[in-house]
Amino acid sequence: MGSEKSGINSNNKSVVVLSKLATNEQHGENSPYFDGWKAYDNDPFHLVNNPDGVIQMGLAENQLSVDLVEKWIKRNPKASICTNEGIESFRTIANFQDYHGLPQFTAAIAKFMGKIRRGKVKFDPERVVMAGGATGANETLIFCLADPGDAFLVPAPYYPGFNRDLRWRTGVQLLPISCKSSNNFKITIEAVKETYQKAQEANIKVKGLILTNPCNPLGTVLDRDTLINLLTFTDQHNIHLVCDEIYAATVFDAPQFVSIAEIINDDDGIGINKDLIHIVSSLSKDMGFPGFRVGIVYSFNDEVVNCARKMSSFGLVSTQTQHLLASMLSDDEFVEEFLVESAKRLRKRHEKFTGGLEKVGIKCLKSNAGVYCWMDLRPLLKEETVDAEVALWKMIIKDVKLNVSPGSSFNCPDAGWFRVCFANIDEQTVDIALARIQTFVDAKKQQQWKRNNLRLNLSNRKYDENVMTLNMMSPNSLIPRSPPQLLYMY
């Protein structure tokens, strides 16, 4: 914990200004992940006004289908209380609403959650708890489940914001489960058991396991067998399983997304305790509405629902937003069209971007979800260390003018991986970003060639020196002595 910030009052006495909580370093924002955002803010790319600025590829936003939403809003002006058509609802909606949420809103959310899971499971509106985005939902859930000092297991690499969202104000610990590139970062039950055992040996109380499915930053989905194995593990150890499923509707290719709710619904004869299962959902990624701050806690535990609902009073979704979204998400035809078209556009952009990277020799982890790629830049590292990774990242920020996020900020156990977002920029900006990457890679290859040539020249010079030494040692040799040649080193 950091020390309190102090100031001087009129009597020249030191006074405490900020609390230990306000000044500690657990906010997690002292990492390259957030530093990249600052670099963008200081020099933002603009096609006309600042074409040499930093392109924002560190922001996981889905802006590819915003036009579909805009068209729906124009067709449905009554959904807003700020239009002539919708003004009749203004007084009702603008008045105080309790923290259970508008009934039509929670019903629409529950219906939407079922639809993006292909109707394989139904959700109860009475279990829908509002929060200020997934950030608020995650923190609310941790407040309900754990005390300061308790810990949650989380597969790494994981979203850097978890260090802030889950730890800063709650005081809990996150214990990374190492997932490595050697098996495509898949979660193994052996790694889970190993991390859990180490916590036990250190007398750390483990309260649960946190999964992101689809995964941020990998862009992959967990298969049914893996989910069942992890669920069986948490159930056997009587710890919670929290599934962050905020990217559920961004799956654009096979294999299909499997929700933990489907596993519970099917049960598959494993007989788990549903009271230990909780889901975090959101409209930030699925619909591209991060600014609406719509986060959802959905728990199968009645006590957690009741507690989270009381806590939600600190981060409610505005009734104006609830009113608009209730109407939009209740429009089955629109929702179906949006989900299908959004998946098509994500697939197309993913193929365009990864294809462009492949042309310059950069590979990505095979993925089928999310709004980003897990990019492998290990061949560009001077050495496979975090320091070398950060040095490369700084070069990309400064010289290439791209804000991408280094794997170390995601607690990745292997150096050289970067998350790069592709759905928050337009087609022309994507082309510019790919062109910059190609120029950078070509320059790195040229540098590598020069280093190799230098090593070759040095090797040749050593050989020549050896020959000369032999000549000097053998004055009767028939090989004529040559003066040392000047080697040009590139």
Side-chain angles (χ1 to χ4, degrees), residues 174-474:
L174 295 182
L175 305 180
I177 302 166
S178 183
C179 303
K180 299 185 177 182
S181 58
S182 56
N183 73 334
N184 294 322
F185 298 100
K186 291 180 180 178
I187 307 168
T188 65
I189 197 66
E190 291 77 19
V192 176
K193 290 178 178 178
E194 180 181 355
T195 308
Y196 181 82
Q197 184 59 36
K198 288 181 179 179
Q200 296 296 101
E201 294 170 357
N203 292 319
I204 298 174
K205 187 176 183 179
V206 176
K207 291 303 294 284
L209 168 65
I210 296 173
L211 300 176
T212 56
N213 184 32
C215 179
N216 176 12
L218 303 180
T220 56
V221 296
L222 295 175
D223 61 80
R224 181 177 293 273
D225 288 342
T226 299
L227 283 170
I228 291 175
N229 289 336
L230 295 173
L231 182 54
T232 301
F233 174 86
T234 56
D235 191 71
Q236 288 175 346
H237 291 82
N238 198 37
I239 61 176
H240 296 279
L241 180 59
V242 177
C243 291
D244 185 327
E245 299 183 349
I246 69 170
Y247 287 95
T250 68
V251 179
F252 52 80
D253 209 344
Q256 292 183 338
F257 166 69
V258 179
S259 170
I260 196 66
E262 294 179 38
I263 306 297
I264 295 174
N265 190 50
D266 296 342
D267 200 352
D268 282 349
I270 57 179
I272 51 86
N273 179 6
K274 293 184 179 181
D275 284 344
L276 296 173
I277 312 302
H278 323 277
I279 295 174
V280 171
S281 188
S282 168
L283 297 184
S284 297
K285 315 301 180 182
D286 289 345
M287 296 292 294
F289 294 160
F292 278 12
R293 309 309 303 146
V294 179
I296 301 297
V297 173
Y298 190 94
S299 175
F300 294 90
N301 186 313
D302 292 340
E303 292 184 17
V304 171
V305 170
N306 292 333
C307 180
R309 185 159 285 141
K310 294 182 179 71
M311 289 186 176
S312 71
S313 60
F314 295 104
L316 293 173
V317 180
S318 76
T319 50
Q320 179 181 355
T321 301
Q322 291 184 54
H323 179 70
L324 173 67
L325 293 177
S327 180
M328 182 183 298
L329 298 181
S330 298
D331 187 336
D332 292 336
E333 184 177 346
F334 165 74
V335 170
E336 185 64 30
E337 175 193 359
F338 180 91
L339 293 177
V340 171
E341 185 61 25
S342 177
K344 286 181 180 179
R345 296 182 184 186
L346 284 170
R347 183 188 305 111
K348 182 179 179 181
R349 177 60 64 83
H350 177 270
E351 291 174 350
K352 175 185 176 72
F353 190 72
T354 56
L357 292 177
E358 287 178 3
K359 288 179 180 178
V360 297
I362 295 177
K363 296 180 179 180
C364 294
L365 182 72
K366 185 178 181 180
S367 60
N368 67 314
V371 294
Y372 35 71
C373 299
W374 193 232
M375 184 169 61
D376 184 3
L377 296 187
R378 287 177 295 176
L380 300 184
L381 294 181
K382 289 185 177 180
E383 55 184 9
E384 291 192 10
T385 64
V386 171
D387 287 343
E389 176 186 278
V390 172
L392 178 60
W393 167 76
K394 289 180 178 179
M395 192 180 302
I396 294 173
I397 289 283
K398 180 182 178 182
D399 298 335
V400 192
K401 294 294 188 74
L402 297 179
N403 174 30
V404 300
S405 306
S408 54
S409 63
F410 293 80
N411 278 80
C412 183
D414 299 333
W417 293 85
F418 291 74
R419 192 192 74 170
V420 53
C421 302
F422 57 73
N424 63 316
I425 53 179
D426 59 31
E427 288 282 330
Q428 196 167 358
T429 306
V430 170
D431 291 334
I432 293 172
L434 287 172
R436 290 185 183 183
I437 292 172
Q438 180 173 359
T439 300
F440 175 68
V441 171
D442 288 344
K444 292 290 286 185
K445 288 180 179 178
Q446 182 69 10
Q447 290 174 3
Q448 183 65 41
W449 179 86
K450 288 180 179 179
R451 284 197 297 269
N452 291 339
N453 195 45
L454 171 60
R455 285 193 291 267
L456 181 61
N457 285 335
L458 289 174
S459 177
N460 288 339
R461 184 169 66 179
K462 185 176 181 180
Y463 172 79
D464 290 341
E465 289 172 348
N466 288 338
V467 171
M468 288 175 61
T469 301
L470 289 172
N471 288 339
M472 293 173 64
M473 292 175 63
S474 307

Side-chain angles (χ1 to χ4, degrees), residues 20-34:
K20 290 181 179 179
L21 175 63
T23 57
N24 71 38
E25 295 298 320
Q26 302 305 311
H27 51 72
E29 293 192 4
N30 50 352
S31 80
Y33 175 76
F34 290 102

